[in-house]
Amino acid sequence: MENINISFNKLELIDFDLMYKWLNTESVKKWYFKKDWTYDDVVKEFTPYVLKQKTTGEPIESFTILYNDIKIGYIQTYLLKDYPEYDQLVQAGEDSAGLDLFIGEQDYAHKGLGSIIILEFLRNIVFINSNIKKCIIGPEPKNTVAIKAYGKVGFKYIKTIQVPEEDEPEYIMEIKREEIV
């Protein structure tokens, strides 16, 4: 894959058809949301993220991932302090952001784009906020492909936690601002 141009657009209502498609692919269901999605589920879950751009409330900043102007996936960030129960489990500190993503277009999965996407997102979105000193990501321990991609960016393992509402534990990894900027 030559001439890689990665960019991000704020998630919009017009992206819900793609989100519905992506969330129902096997690889996304396996690691991201473990359920079958209806279109109404997508609307209910992601409308607050879209409306957040215009109002206050939902603290998640959500984006589509573009590869050479083609939407290929979803990425989001949030301040850990906005989720106190999770923050207490992770214990990363008030200056920490969280990050989640998936590549929904299967033609672009497993092509080495994950680490490139994350690095661009950290540089251009997460660490633009000068108050953020580190970023946390929490794949499942069995998601070795994701863990390897995060490691290529510079994320380091901190600990494994069990979030009460989740079936599988999270393999918490961290990267500090000075390690990438």
Side-chain angles (χ1 to χ4, degrees), residues 9-155:
N9 283 348
K10 288 278 193 180
L11 185 69
E12 299 179 60
L13 297 174
I14 60 170
D15 297 321
F16 286 3
D17 286 339
L18 281 173
M19 292 295 289
Y20 171 71
K21 173 187 158 189
W22 294 339
L23 288 164
N24 283 298
T25 62
E26 288 305 312
S27 62
V28 174
K29 285 196 303 189
K30 181 176 183 177
W31 300 116
Y32 199 76
F33 281 112
K34 297 172 189 252
K35 70 176 200 170
D36 293 319
W37 286 76
T38 66
Y39 189 81
D40 287 343
D41 292 336
V42 172
V43 170
K44 183 178 179 184
E45 178 76 21
F46 293 96
T47 296
Y49 301 1
V50 172
L51 296 179
K52 188 253 179 204
Q53 298 174 47
K54 300 172 181 80
T55 64
T56 58
E58 180 59 51
I60 293 175
E61 289 186 72
S62 52
F63 302 83
T64 53
I65 302 164
L66 286 83
Y67 171 87
N68 294 339
D69 297 323
I70 299 167
K71 293 179 181 181
I72 65 165
Y74 173 81
I75 192 164
Q76 66 183 27
T77 188
Y78 52 90
L79 299 176
L80 265 66
K81 69 180 181 178
D82 289 335
Y83 296 90
E85 289 134 12
Y86 184 69
D87 190 26
Q88 180 144 4
L89 287 170
V90 175
Q91 297 180 340
E94 283 194 25
D95 57 356
S96 300
L99 171 64
D100 303 298
L101 76 150
F102 60 79
I103 295 176
E105 291 296 330
Q106 296 309 292
D107 290 346
Y108 297 88
H110 308 292
K111 305 280 192 217
L113 292 173
S115 56
I116 298 166
I117 290 166
I118 293 166
L119 188 57
E120 287 298 311
F121 193 73
L122 289 169
R123 286 181 175 155
N124 297 308
I125 306 291
V126 175
F127 289 126
I128 288 294
N129 179 343
S130 61
N131 294 324
I132 301 299
K133 304 296 184 232
K134 56 185 143 178
C135 186
I136 303 298
I137 198 159
E140 290 184 15
K142 295 176 189 170
N143 192 348
T144 56
V145 172
I147 291 168
K148 184 177 176 184
Y150 306 153
K152 283 170 81 176
V153 175
F155 279 88

